[in-house]
Amino acid sequence: MPNETSTPAPRLQQFIAQLSDTIARSADEAALLAGATPLLQALVAHDDWLPQAFAQPHPAHYQQFLLHADPAGRFSVVSFVWGPGQGTPIHDHTVWGLIGMLRGAEEGQHFARDAEGRWRPEGPPQALHPGEVQAVSPSVGDVHRVRNLLADQVSISIHVYGADIGKVQRHVFTEDGGVKPFVSGYANVTH
């Protein structure tokens, strides 16, 4: 939980309970993503539940706020807050994930390695608008770059990952093939 005294909004509580049930029913990633996608779509269809404390942009970079970490480590729910024009480097996740757009818009560009080991865009960029959900994982495409599509307002997306993503060792990639490990942590949790 974000802190010991906070209680998730009823919409978020319902989502967490339903997602937990979905995960308990199937370990198969395709079935899990198929079952979890409409749950996340239902959550991000309403923009009335995210506490203001987890919707604050940073002037220099996007922020990632932990909304819920499953006690068994099976999943985490995170709000990503993108200031105008902010984005990520090319990166991976190493676990399954769903991205649901709550407010504003973002653009994701998938990448794949070419024969020389360089990262190249794969397909056209994809815009994500409120209520829409996209999946990422090592099996469906795990390497991408994301940015706030809006130059004049904050965008917020809700991410669900198959682990406590703030503790997972992942990778940032340069287009020439360079790699740097990282662990993202959270803007609202200190260790």
Side-chain angles (χ1 to χ4, degrees), residues 124-141:
Q126 296 179 323
L128 197 62
H129 300 281
E132 296 177 340
V133 173
Q134 293 177 344
V136 294
S137 85
S139 65
V140 301

Side-chain angles (χ1 to χ4, degrees), residues 97-153:
L98 291 171
I99 304 161
M101 201 70 213
L102 181 68
R103 187 180 305 161
E106 66 185 45
E107 179 182 79
Q109 174 64 63
H110 284 277
F111 283 79
R113 282 193 196 268
D114 66 14
E116 290 80 38
R118 293 184 298 264
W119 290 98
R120 300 286 185 224
E122 182 178 52
Q126 296 179 323
L128 197 62
H129 300 281
E132 296 177 340
V133 173
Q134 293 177 344
V136 294
S137 85
S139 65
V140 301
D142 191 40
V143 177
H144 70 173
R145 178 169 50 204
V146 181
R147 70 179 182 93
N148 183 348
L149 197 52
L150 306 175
D152 60 350
Q153 73 181 64

Side-chain angles (χ1 to χ4, degrees), residues 49-57 103:
W49 58 269
L50 183 66
Q52 193 60 26
F54 308 122
Q56 297 301 311
R103 187 180 305 161

Side-chain angles (χ1 to χ4, degrees), residues 16-110:
I16 291 166
Q18 291 172 330
L19 181 61
S20 186
D21 289 346
T22 299
I23 291 170
R25 282 195 302 271
S26 179
D28 175 71
E29 183 181 286
L32 192 148
L33 291 174
T37 295
L39 300 177
L40 185 55
Q41 285 171 325
L43 179 66
V44 297
H46 302 277
D47 189 2
D48 62 357
W49 58 269
L50 183 66
Q52 193 60 26
F54 308 122
Q56 297 301 311
H58 186 281
H61 54 78
Y62 73 92
Q63 296 205 94
Q64 176 176 309
F65 294 97
L66 178 64
L67 301 177
H68 177 79
D70 177 60
R74 300 173 301 164
F75 66 94
S76 56
V77 183
V78 180
S79 68
F80 275 66
V81 183
W82 309 89
Q86 293 175 350
T88 69
I90 302 168
H91 66 280
D92 66 6
H93 308 88
T94 74
V95 298
W96 65 263
L98 291 171
I99 304 161
M101 201 70 213
L102 181 68
R103 187 180 305 161
E106 66 185 45
E107 179 182 79
Q109 174 64 63
H110 284 277

